[in-house]
Amino acid sequence: MSNALAAKLNGCLSMLQPSQQCTLCGMPSNAAALCTHCWQELPWLAQLPPPMPDMPHLSHVASLPRLAAALCPRCALPTPSGEVCGVCLKHAPHFDQTRAALRYEFPVAELLHAYKYRSQVGLARAFTGMLSQSLPQNFAAIDTLLPLPVTRARMRERGFNQAAELAKLLGQQLNLPVDL
């Protein structure tokens, strides 16, 4: 096949494939909401970032050792040794455990605001990838995903319950029931 014909075919194929820009930096990110660089630079609670979902060329990262952060098992806030924090001891929440993949700081807060308030629903897949990475390898103790409800006013404002949408995607991915 000639170079000119191959170039034309590649051009036609690239028009058929979804192209997307990274939500954070604007660089090409294939069909993902974040490019590889921005994904790796997120403030992960583990020492190394997990591989991006649907990015087999980064599968080697999954085999690298990851150090878990010392977090309160109830609220997922940092503690010196991973013990239950003072706030949770004093005012125990009405749930058993919280899992978090990232620290709530720049750019995570901005990504969440884009998802919640600017209806960038394409970020939902990235968030479920992040959440699934925060689960233990053996998550048999998880029997149901329970998204936090939103008020009627927030539902009217946003047009959707972002927590429910994430829970549905994560439930499908992990084959877990979702209690809506």
Side-chain angles (χ1 to χ4, degrees):
M1 177 181 317
S2 74
N3 287 343
L5 181 60
K8 285 185 182 186
L9 282 174
N10 282 336
C12 290
L13 286 174
S14 68
M15 288 189 303
L16 295 174
Q17 294 175 336
S19 76
Q20 185 168 329
Q21 292 180 327
C22 175
T23 304
L24 293 174
C25 70
M27 296 298 291
S29 62
N30 299 326
L34 299 175
C35 69
T36 303
H37 175 76
C38 288
W39 176 271
Q40 292 176 339
E41 293 299 316
L42 290 172
W44 296 98
L45 288 172
Q47 188 174 12
L48 292 172
M52 289 179 69
D54 304 323
M55 296 294 219
H57 63 282
L58 294 177
S59 60
H60 65 282
V61 176
S63 64
L64 296 173
R66 292 173 52 199
L67 297 177
L71 305 172
C72 170
R74 281 278 175 92
C75 68
L77 290 176
T79 60
S81 305
E83 68 281 359
V84 176
C85 72
V87 173
C88 288
L89 285 173
K90 189 173 181 179
H91 303 286
H94 298 285
F95 48 83
D96 296 329
Q97 191 175 57
T98 298
R99 289 289 179 165
L102 304 163
R103 290 185 307 278
Y104 188 72
E105 60 186 50
F106 179 83
V108 176
E110 286 72 15
L111 289 171
L112 286 169
H113 283 218
Y115 175 61
K116 290 166 64 171
Y117 302 112
R118 293 193 305 271
S119 299
Q120 291 189 9
V121 294
L123 289 168
R125 219 168 137 225
F127 287 138
T128 56
M130 294 170 195
L131 287 169
S132 67
Q133 295 295 329
S134 73
L135 297 175
Q137 294 298 323
N138 178 10
F139 56 88
I142 301 172
D143 53 17
T144 303
L145 298 176
L146 181 65
L148 293 175
V150 296
T151 64
R152 284 189 200 123
R154 290 282 190 219
M155 188 67 151
R156 280 191 304 272
E157 176 187 334
R158 297 179 191 153
F160 70 110
N161 179 342
Q162 71 283 346
E165 295 305 314
L166 291 176
K168 285 183 214 174
L169 284 172
L170 190 60
Q172 289 171 354
Q173 183 179 346
L174 301 175
N175 197 27
L176 287 170
V178 178
D179 185 355
L180 299 174

